[in-house]
Amino acid sequence: MTGVLPVGIADHVIDELLAICGDDGVRVDRPARVNRTRVPAPFRVHRWAEHVPDVVVLPRSTEQTAEVVRLANRERIPVVPRAAGTGLTDGATPLRHGILLDVKRMNQIRDIDLVDRTVTVGPGISMLKLNEVLRPHGVIYPDDPASYPCSMVGGRIGTGGWSLIGARYGHTRDLVMSMTVVLPTGDVVQVGEGGGRKLRKASTGFSLKQLFMGHEGTLGVVTEATLELVPRPEVEFAAFFGYPDYRTAYASTGALAKSGFATLAGVVLFDEWKLAYLRRDDEAYIEQPESLRAVVALAAYGNRDEVTPAARALMRIGRETGGDYLGDEVSQGDWAARHDRYAIPLHGRAPDGQVVPMSWHCEDAALNYSVLPQVREEWHAIVARHRERYGIFDDWGMFAYTNGAYKPWGDYLVEIDVGIWEQRLDDEAWEGWVNCKREITEVTLKYGGSISACHGASREGDVEYVPTELGGAFDVMKQIKRTLDPNNVMNPGKYLLDQAYEETP
Ligand SMILES: Cc1cc2nc3c(=O)[nH]c(=O)nc-3n(C[C@H](O)[C@H](O)[C@H](O)COP(=O)(O)OP(=O)(O)OC[C@H]3O[C@@H](n4cnc5c(N)ncnc54)[C@H](O)[C@@H]3O)c2cc1C
């Protein structure tokens, strides 16, 4: 990342951007551009300069955003939307430089409707901030990722995010009712039930809302969203159970997840690699005996009259299926730590045990319950082989989390977390890591899973398999992309969608 970082955009374009967004809404200085180059996933630091945007714009409104995108479309300049930049699949990384459209100044709460239970916001607000404002009203917006304090509504929509309490309340795609979208040509549309009205269910026309869920900024920029509100839960109950082996914990997870309690907000199974990682030095995980080889956590949210009897029954199921209750201190403390557990990048270990700074990479497949044990074995074997060969990877373990929206018998988000020593990533080691991802992905598809349950699949090592997973639906994606974005200006290079422009229509 040495040398000059040229601004590869004509002066007259910068002048027009200044006229649209004002002096404080356009940044060409080096820190502003470099700071928006990457996301927290492992990065080829020796190739940093390849991804620096030419200019950063910070529009304040739908109108300014539309004018920026119209200009970009006219001049054929790439536009990459960025919210908090916490996405883990390079979605907000500008692969071809161009305009980085930072949405964080569109952070207004425009309308809180307590009668019909909706809130309308700009895309630059985080769930933490929104819920602080909603708190006195007795309602919450229940999208609860581990990145809750920082990730923003725009990015949650861009990635089709997954909520830790999704078994009770649903995930981002269920909780966003409608949106204002600036299309790649600069046109503005409303999408959602009834053409973007404040409705949960209508049947006029196509269900376009889902098209803009998880598109990773390739189909436009969301500038406003109307979200579901639910009553603030009176009680949040959490219980952690310990097990002597994975198989027992797995069976117990199934029994708990299928118990049918509507208050059940999440069930998560941690394997022994994850426990070893937590034991290493995460103080949130209070010391436990070595005989503990797996942990299952559950959480129930809702009114006291529902949660109290459900909690009693869930405790019984946990114990009867071989679980050892780990006590209130661990249960409440650890559940409360769910928002900061992974913000610990310095806990990597070299093979000789030396502490080294590592960034965190995770593969987040969606899988059926039935295949979890086989996938776990095969994934760990892949990572172990690559660790041995390259010495710069660290296996941070696996967890599996039921993801059913309103139905606790849903399938699972299954994640393997790998620490990566970025400073040692030269081209050869990068290729090794990408191959490791490829092998993990092949196992996912072999067992009938999806490459990603929430992060998206636009990174090298995943993205090559998108056409395999989607089959003919990927051709439909390309047709949609070409139709909505005739000049390929919205986040080009992502999701292999450049192929849409290589084929004769
Ligand atoms: C510690 C940590 C924990 C995490 N835990 C979870 C978790 O539990 N669940 C989960 O789902 N994810 C999790 N993630 C991943 C990440 O937080 C999510 O992917 C999140 O949805 C990204 O939001 P963001 O605001 O950071 O978006 P960004 O990273 O800025 O953007 C993500 C994508 O959305 C696009 N985008 C952004 N804004 C807009 C817009 N206004 N219009 C159109 N496209 C847009 C971007 O171009 C990009 O492709 C975690 C990440 C970290 C670092």
Side-chain angles (χ1 to χ4, degrees):
M1 200 189 51
T2 53
V4 191
L5 291 170
V7 176
I9 285 186
D11 288 349
H12 75 91
V13 173
I14 301 287
D15 290 343
E16 283 190 59
L17 290 172
L18 284 164
I20 297 166
C21 296
D23 286 355
D24 65 347
V26 180
R27 303 279 299 268
V28 289
D29 54 295
R30 185 186 170 105
R33 293 155 62 211
V34 167
N35 288 343
R36 290 172 178 84
T37 296
R38 68 167 298 183
V39 293
F43 198 70
R44 274 195 262 202
V45 280
H46 59 296
R47 299 229 173 161
W48 197 298
E50 289 172 17
H51 304 301
V52 180
D54 292 309
V55 56
V56 175
V57 297
L58 297 114
R60 290 188 186 274
S61 65
T62 300
E63 294 69 32
Q64 289 186 357
T65 305
E67 280 194 63
V68 169
V69 175
R70 221 171 286 136
L71 167 63
N73 187 45
R74 189 190 80 210
E75 298 284 332
R76 312 286 193 264
I77 299 169
V79 185
V80 181
R82 181 178 174 104
T86 68
L88 298 169
T89 53
D90 288 350
T93 298
L95 295 183
R96 310 235 171 103
H97 312 285
I99 299 171
L100 191 297
L101 195 149
D102 188 326
V103 304
K104 73 165 69 72
R105 287 190 186 176
M106 290 188 277
N107 60 354
Q108 305 81 2
I109 298 175
R110 296 193 186 285
D111 177 47
I112 301 175
D113 179 345
L114 297 174
V115 179
D116 292 323
R117 289 266 166 90
T118 66
V119 62
T120 301
V121 300
I125 192 163
S126 75
M127 279 59 63
L128 173 73
K129 180 68 201 162
L130 176 57
N131 280 325
E132 274 173 8
V133 175
L134 293 173
R135 193 183 178 90
H137 300 291
V139 289
I140 59 165
Y141 173 57
D143 188 5
D144 189 335
S147 54
Y148 176 87
C150 42
S151 60
M152 295 170 179
V153 167
R156 301 297 293 149
I157 294 170
T159 57
W162 174 86
S163 168
L164 300 182
I165 52 175
R168 170 78 171 88
Y169 299 108
H171 302 275
T172 313
R173 63 168 186 222
D174 311 301
L175 297 167
V176 174
M177 294 165 64
S178 62
M179 299 175 243
T180 303
V181 184
V182 174
L183 295 175
T185 49
D187 295 333
V188 180
V189 292
Q190 310 287 329
V191 293
E193 302 294 328
R197 290 178 165 78
K198 279 202 292 189
L199 296 170
R200 273 94 181 164
K201 164 80 176 79
S203 72
T204 314
F206 297 170
S207 291
L208 287 182
K209 185 189 83 178
Q210 296 301 355
L211 183 62
F212 293 91
M213 232 7 115
H215 67 101
E216 299 225 5
T218 60
L219 296 181
V221 187
V222 174
T223 54
E224 195 167 288
T226 296
L227 315 171
E228 290 268 17
L229 295 178
V230 301
R232 190 178 176 76
E234 251 181 349
V235 180
E236 295 178 14
F237 168 78
F240 275 56
F241 296 99
Y243 300 81
D245 58 77
Y246 180 85
R247 274 280 166 186
T248 312
Y250 165 71
S252 187
T253 301
L256 289 162
K258 289 177 186 142
S259 60
F261 288 101
T263 57
L264 198 60
V267 181
V268 54
L269 162 59
F270 299 91
D271 80 353
E272 65 184 88
W273 290 89
K274 178 57 75 186
L275 295 195
Y277 172 69
L278 294 173
R279 273 199 186 100
R280 279 194 328 206
D281 38 19
D282 180 358
E283 288 163 17
Y285 193 73
I286 297 156
E287 199 179 333
Q288 294 292 333
E290 276 299 315
S291 56
L292 205 74
R293 305 307 281 266
V295 162
V296 174
L298 67 85
Y301 277 41
N303 292 340
R304 193 173 303 280
D305 288 349
E306 302 166 312
V307 173
T308 306
R312 264 198 303 274
L314 290 163
M315 288 292 283
R316 195 185 62 244
I317 296 170
R319 287 188 168 119
E320 282 175 1
T321 51
D324 188 11
Y325 179 61
L326 296 182
D328 297 349
E329 197 178 0
V330 170
S331 300
Q332 286 152 20
D334 210 66
W335 179 244
R338 69 193 181 279
H339 296 144
D340 57 20
R341 163 165 295 152
Y342 301 106
I344 43 177
L346 294 177
H347 292 208
R349 292 282 187 285
D352 63 0
Q354 185 199 349
V355 176
V356 293
M358 285 189 166
S359 67
W360 164 52
H361 171 72
C362 54
E363 295 289 333
D364 74 311
L367 287 155
N368 291 132
Y369 173 73
S370 55
V371 300
L372 301 186
Q374 296 91 311
V375 168
R376 171 179 165 268
E377 274 179 31
E378 294 189 31
W379 277 8
H380 278 308
I382 293 166
V383 175
R385 230 178 328 105
H386 285 82
R387 278 184 88 185
E388 199 175 332
R389 170 147 183 217
Y390 294 97
I392 60 165
F393 305 125
D394 188 14
D395 190 337
W396 289 357
M398 268 177 77
F399 63 81
Y401 216 128
T402 187
N403 74 355
Y406 321 115
K407 47 181 192 329
W409 50 90
D411 42 41
Y412 283 72
L413 167 98
V414 188
E415 183 165 311
I416 187 161
D417 298 331
V418 184
I420 297 184
W421 197 353
E422 276 186 26
Q423 286 84 350
R424 298 290 174 97
L425 273 177
D426 53 17
D427 281 348
E428 190 197 339
W430 179 269
E431 193 53 32
W433 173 64
V434 169
N435 282 333
C436 177
K437 280 169 67 66
R438 287 193 182 112
E439 288 184 37
I440 288 172
T441 303
E442 281 166 14
V443 170
T444 301
L445 296 178
K446 180 172 84 177
Y447 285 100
S450 167
I451 297 167
S452 174
C454 58
H455 296 152
S458 51
R459 292 202 101 186
E460 202 181 346
D462 293 329
V463 72
E464 305 91 287
Y465 294 88
V466 172
T468 312
E469 179 178 327
L470 299 184
F474 184 63
D475 294 330
V476 178
M477 267 177 67
K478 286 188 287 188
Q479 287 165 29
I480 291 170
K481 171 71 174 169
R482 200 169 49 213
T483 303
L484 293 186
D485 188 2
N487 298 313
N488 196 15
V489 290
M490 282 307 311
N491 212 350
K494 302 286 162 66
Y495 265 135
L496 299 185
L497 287 170
D498 285 354
Q499 289 178 12
Y501 304 87
E502 289 156 12
E503 295 155 10
T504 323

